[in-house]
Amino acid sequence: MDSTLLQFIRHLRDHELRVSTAETLDAMQVVACLGYGDRRLLRDGLASALAKSEDEQRRFRQCFAQFFDFSDDTQDDTASAADPVGGESQGDEGLAAGDGEGEGQGGAGGGGQGSEGLRADVMRAADAAQLASLQYPTQRGIYRRRLLDALNDGERRDSIARLAEGSPEERARSRWLTAQREQQLVMIAEVLDRQLLLSNQSSSRSLQESLMRNSPLSALDHYYRGRLPPLIRKLAKKLAAKHRPRLRSAKRGQPDIRRTLHRSVAYDGVPFKRYWRHRRREKSDIYLLCDLSGSVGRWSQVLLLFVQALAEVLPRSRCFVFCGESIEVSDILREHPADDAVALIQQRHGLGSSDYGRALRSFRASVEGTLSRRSTVMILGDGRGNGGDSGIDALRYLYQYSRLLLWLNPEPVSRWYTGDSEIRRYQSACHHVAECGSLRQLEYLLDELLTRLP
C-alpha cells in the first residue's frame, strides 16, 4: 500500500474533496504507471482520477502544490555547487558506486538527479517514521530524529569521518557526502514544516468552521463573513443529501433489483416475484419572506444562500424580500450564481428601513391565490417595525391558509420584547417562532423543517 498516496488522499479529504475507495484504487494504478519522478505528469494523472468538477480541479491543484512541491531550484542549485564528484551524483546508486571521477564533470546534471534521489529517500523515511502523525511544533525534534534514523544517518556520519582521514580521493568523497547530507537535512526541515502546515491547516479550518457556525453572525468580522458562502454551501449539501427524496416500494416504476434478487433465493434464483419502487413526489410549497433592512439583512442573505443551495430538496420554493413592499426574487436566484444573486438582490432591494405592515400586506396579495394546506411560509425578520403598522391581519391570513407558518428571528430571545419589537404580537399568529442568530441554529431549524415536510 502506497502510504504517501494515502496521506495525500487524506489531505484531499481534509480540504473537502470527496474521494471514494474506488477512486483511491484508481489513483494507486495511476501512481504505479507514472511514478513520482515527473510531478507535472503525476498531478495531471491523479487529477483525472480524483477531481470530478472544475471546482474540485482547482482545489486539487492547490492541495497537490501544498503536499508535493518543494523549492526545487534552491535545492538543485545547492547540489550543483556542492558536488565535487559530479558524475557520482545519481541518488542511491551514486552513493554505492564508490570513487568520484573528478570535479567539474557534469556537476549540474548530476546534482539534479542526486537531488531527486535524496528527495525520494526522505519521502520513504517520512513514511517509515509515520510523519503524518506530526501535529505540534514541539514534536519536530522527535520526528527529525526518527527521519534521520530511517535514513541511517549514524552510519553515514561514520563514513564521512573515516573518509576525511584517507587519500585525496576519499577526502573528496567525504566532502561530497557531507554536501549530500546537508542537502538532505534541508529537505527534512522542509518536510517537517510542510507536515506541520498541513496539520495546522486542517485543524485551523475545523476550528474556524466551528467558530462561524456557533457565533452570532453579528459578532463575525468582515474576514469571516467573506468565508460564509462556502461553508453555507457545505452545510446545505449535507442537508440535501440527508433529505433527498427516497425510493419506496410501488406497483410500477424502477425495478428494485436488490429486493427482487433477495426474495428469489427461495426459488433457486428465479425471480418469480418482481418488486418496484418509485421516487416520492415533493408536495410542499415553500414561501420565503426576508427582511433586507440594515438590522437583519445579513441573516436574510445567509438564508437565501441556504435556500438556493437546497434547490434539489426544495424545488417548489418562492423567495421574497422586503424593506417596504415585498418583491419576489425567485428568478434572480435561479438565473445567477449564489454570491452574485445575493449581491444583486441587496443592491436592488436592500435600501431603507423595515415596514412590516406594508411588506406583509403586499406579500399576502402576491401569494393568497396559491396558498394551500401543503404550503409552508417562512419569515425572517426581527419584527421591529419602527413604530409603524404591524400588518398583523395579513399575518393571520397567512397563518390560517398555510400548513406551517414559521418566523425566524435573528435577535437573541432576551431582546425580543424590548423597544419597538412587535414579535409578541406576531407570535400569536405563527405556528412557531424561533431564534436563528447563528449558522448552527439556522441549520438545525432547516433540518427540522425538511424532516417535517411530506
Side-chain angles (χ1 to χ4, degrees):
M1 193 70 75
D2 192 329
S3 56
T4 300
L5 178 61
L6 294 181
Q7 289 179 29
F8 175 57
I9 290 175
R10 188 182 306 116
H11 178 56
L12 293 177
R13 289 169 175 164
D14 287 341
H15 284 73
E16 312 301 335
L17 270 77
R18 294 182 298 170
V19 180
S20 67
T21 303
E23 289 166 343
T24 300
L25 296 176
D26 291 341
M28 288 182 175
Q29 292 182 353
V30 169
V31 171
C33 293
L34 302 180
Y36 289 99
D38 188 331
R39 213 165 312 150
R40 183 184 297 272
L41 184 61
L42 175 65
R43 182 196 65 192
D44 294 341
L46 288 177
S48 67
L50 301 176
K52 301 171 283 295
S53 65
E54 291 186 4
D55 179 61
E56 288 191 359
Q57 288 277 353
R58 177 183 57 80
R59 283 186 287 166
F60 175 87
R61 288 176 178 268
Q62 293 174 351
C63 292
F64 188 93
Q66 291 172 346
F67 190 87
F68 283 107
D69 281 5
F70 291 85
S71 53
D72 292 330
D73 295 339
T74 302
Q75 292 172 356
D76 291 346
D77 292 343
T78 303
S80 300
D83 186 1
V85 286
E88 288 262 320
S89 196
Q90 306 291 332
D92 295 336
E93 294 80 0
L95 290 174
D99 296 335
E101 295 286 335
E103 299 182 10
Q105 298 180 5
Q113 294 176 2
S115 177
E116 290 297 328
L118 293 174
R119 183 179 298 111
D121 288 343
V122 170
M123 295 307 295
R124 284 192 289 268
D127 295 340
Q130 298 180 339
L131 189 63
S133 302
L134 174 62
Q135 297 287 331
Y136 308 105
T138 53
Q139 298 175 306
R140 282 182 62 97
I142 298 173
Y143 282 91
R144 184 178 185 274
R145 183 75 265 163
R146 291 182 181 177
L147 286 169
L148 290 173
D149 290 343
L151 291 168
N152 296 319
D153 187 63
E155 295 181 9
R156 180 166 52 181
R157 283 184 296 165
D158 292 340
S159 297
I160 291 173
R162 184 176 61 255
L163 291 170
E165 299 175 355
S167 65
E169 291 81 5
E170 289 176 332
R171 289 197 297 272
R173 177 69 175 172
S174 176
R175 290 194 299 272
W176 180 74
L177 287 176
T178 300
Q180 295 285 290
R181 180 176 184 272
E182 290 175 354
Q183 184 181 355
Q184 208 163 49
L185 290 176
V186 173
M187 293 179 181
I188 289 174
E190 290 180 344
V191 166
L192 293 172
D193 289 339
R194 185 203 65 184
Q195 185 58 47
L196 281 173
L197 179 63
L198 298 181
S199 300
N200 290 337
Q201 283 179 340
S202 177
S203 301
S204 63
R205 185 173 54 257
S206 298
L207 290 173
Q208 204 174 87
E209 289 185 357
S210 178
L211 171 67
M212 290 190 291
R213 291 180 69 188
N214 293 295
S215 299
L217 193 58
S218 56
L220 299 180
D221 59 22
H222 182 74
Y223 173 84
Y224 287 108
R225 287 178 196 149
R227 285 156 175 74
L228 281 177
L231 177 58
I232 291 170
R233 286 191 286 271
K234 174 184 174 181
L235 298 177
K237 195 172 185 178
K238 288 173 55 180
L239 287 177
K242 179 179 179 181
H243 297 284
R244 188 175 292 113
R246 307 299 182 187
L247 296 173
R248 62 184 180 86
S249 298
K251 293 183 179 179
R252 59 183 179 179
Q254 298 181 16
D256 189 341
I257 303 298
R258 185 193 62 81
R259 194 176 180 192
T260 299
L261 292 178
H262 177 72
R263 294 300 178 91
S264 67
V265 171
Y267 306 100
D268 294 330
V270 179
F272 285 110
K273 176 66 174 178
R274 290 171 293 175
Y275 292 88
W276 308 87
R277 56 185 180 176
H278 78 282
R279 195 172 297 278
R280 184 182 65 183
R281 292 182 179 178
E282 183 61 65
K283 298 181 180 180
S284 295
D285 298 320
I286 306 296
Y287 297 88
L288 177 64
L289 178 63
C290 293
D291 183 357
L292 281 189
S293 64
S295 57
V296 294
R298 296 192 192 100
W299 284 272
S300 294
Q301 294 173 30
V302 168
L303 184 56
L304 289 171
L305 286 173
F306 257 113
V307 171
Q308 187 190 44
L310 288 170
E312 180 182 359
V313 291
L314 295 175
R316 299 169 61 93
S317 59
R318 295 176 62 185
C319 299
F320 296 77
V321 297
F322 74 92
C323 284
E325 185 173 350
S326 64
I327 301 169
E328 186 167 5
V329 294
S330 305
D331 291 341
I332 297 178
L333 290 171
R334 282 193 294 266
E335 295 171 0
H336 297 274
D339 298 345
D340 296 343
V342 170
L344 188 60
I345 291 170
Q346 183 67 34
Q347 179 183 2
R348 291 182 180 178
H349 311 297
L351 301 177
S353 57
S354 303
D355 185 344
Y356 277 86
R358 184 181 174 191
L360 290 172
R361 285 194 298 272
S362 58
F363 179 66
R364 168 186 169 172
S366 299
V367 303
E368 64 181 347
T370 58
L371 282 181
S372 67
R373 300 311 299 173
R374 66 183 184 187
S375 301
T376 296
V377 178
M378 286 192 295
I379 301 176
L380 188 144
D382 57 6
R384 297 185 180 274
N386 303 304
D389 180 17
S390 66
I392 188 66
D393 292 337
L395 188 64
R396 287 173 179 156
Y397 174 89
L398 299 173
Y399 172 84
Q400 181 179 0
Y401 286 94
S402 63
R403 176 177 179 269
L404 175 65
L405 177 55
L406 174 64
W407 190 296
L408 307 179
N409 191 339
E411 286 191 340
V413 177
S414 59
R415 296 187 56 197
W416 282 11
Y417 312 121
T418 63
D420 59 349
S421 175
E422 296 281 359
I423 200 65
R424 188 189 300 273
R425 298 186 67 189
Y426 293 147
Q427 278 183 303
S428 65
C430 294
H431 294 94
H432 188 58
V433 177
E435 179 184 348
C436 67
S438 68
L439 281 182
R440 185 176 293 278
Q441 289 175 324
L442 184 56
E443 179 189 9
Y444 171 78
L445 291 170
L446 291 175
D447 189 15
E448 287 293 307
L449 174 65
L450 293 171
T451 301
R452 296 174 183 273
L453 290 177

